[in-house]
Amino acid sequence: SELAEKQVISLSKDLESAKRTIDLAEKAKEQAKADIKRAEDVFALKAKAYEEQIETVRKEVDAVNDEKVALLDKIDEAHAMHEELKKQRDAMEADLVETCSILEKVSEKASTSADEYKKAMAQVTAGTAALKETLEAEILLTMERVEEKELIIKEMETREA
């Protein structure tokens, strides 16, 4: 009976120890649940922030695309203007040749007109070339910005996944 009593005491101690272990496990379980909830909340906030960033980048990409379209329209206008100016130049050259043949006796006046014509054409050509270079540079810059924004979107979508 003494052995049984010692076994009962030992079993009682083991039972108390098991109860404490269960209590600790339950507390750890509750703590883990709270940690998971906090992690889920943080993840939800980060996911929302990433979505907002992606939306911002998408809007910026759309704006850059709109700028690109506008610049392409300007280039088309510049090309059309350049063609019209070429036609005008060709017409002016034809008129000049005809005028020179008719007014050979007044060569000094024709020479002066030709000089003025050359200056005007140089200014027009220089202006058109400068506009073309500026627009091409803006298009290249815009295209680089679009590529950068697309890379950012891809990175964010990859992170989000």
Side-chain angles (χ1 to χ4, degrees):
S1 76
E2 193 177 301
L3 178 61
E5 193 176 302
K6 285 182 181 180
Q7 285 179 343
V8 167
I9 291 171
S10 175
L11 289 174
S12 294
K13 287 180 182 178
D14 288 347
L15 180 61
E16 285 300 314
S17 177
K19 285 181 182 179
R20 283 192 300 267
T21 303
I22 289 171
D23 286 343
L24 289 174
E26 286 181 3
K27 287 179 183 176
K29 179 181 173 183
E30 291 300 317
Q31 182 64 38
K33 284 181 180 179
D35 289 347
I36 289 170
K37 175 64 176 145
R38 280 192 300 274
E40 287 174 346
D41 292 346
V42 168
F43 179 77
L45 288 174
K46 286 185 178 182
K48 183 178 179 183
Y50 283 136
E51 284 298 322
E52 290 171 357
Q53 286 177 340
I54 287 172
E55 185 60 29
T56 299
V57 170
R58 283 188 180 133
K59 286 178 182 178
E60 290 173 359
V61 167
D62 289 344
V64 168
N65 283 334
D66 291 345
E67 289 178 30
K68 178 183 167 186
V69 168
L71 290 173
L72 289 173
D73 288 345
K74 285 181 180 180
I75 286 176
D76 289 342
E77 289 175 19
H79 284 299
M81 184 174 146
H82 179 71
E83 290 301 318
E84 182 61 31
L85 290 173
K86 281 172 80 175
K87 288 178 186 177
Q88 289 177 4
R89 183 185 71 199
D90 292 344
M92 289 175 75
E93 286 176 352
D95 288 346
L96 182 62
V97 168
E98 183 181 337
T99 301
C100 285
S101 67
I102 294 171
L103 301 174
E104 282 182 9
K105 293 181 184 177
V106 192
S107 65
E108 183 177 330
K109 186 174 182 181
S111 178
T112 303
S113 294
D115 290 342
E116 290 176 4
Y117 166 75
K118 287 177 184 176
K119 287 179 186 176
M121 288 315 300
Q123 289 175 345
V124 168
T125 302
T128 302
L131 177 61
K132 181 179 176 183
E133 287 179 15
T134 301
L135 290 175
E136 287 175 349
E138 287 179 9
I139 286 173
L140 289 175
L141 179 62
T142 300
M143 290 171 70
E144 288 175 7
R145 287 176 37 201
V146 166
E147 289 174 6
E148 290 173 4
K149 298 296 179 177
E150 287 172 348
L151 285 175
I152 290 171
I153 287 174
K154 285 180 183 177
E155 286 178 15
M156 290 180 140
E157 287 173 347
T158 301
R159 288 183 192 165
E160 201 174 72

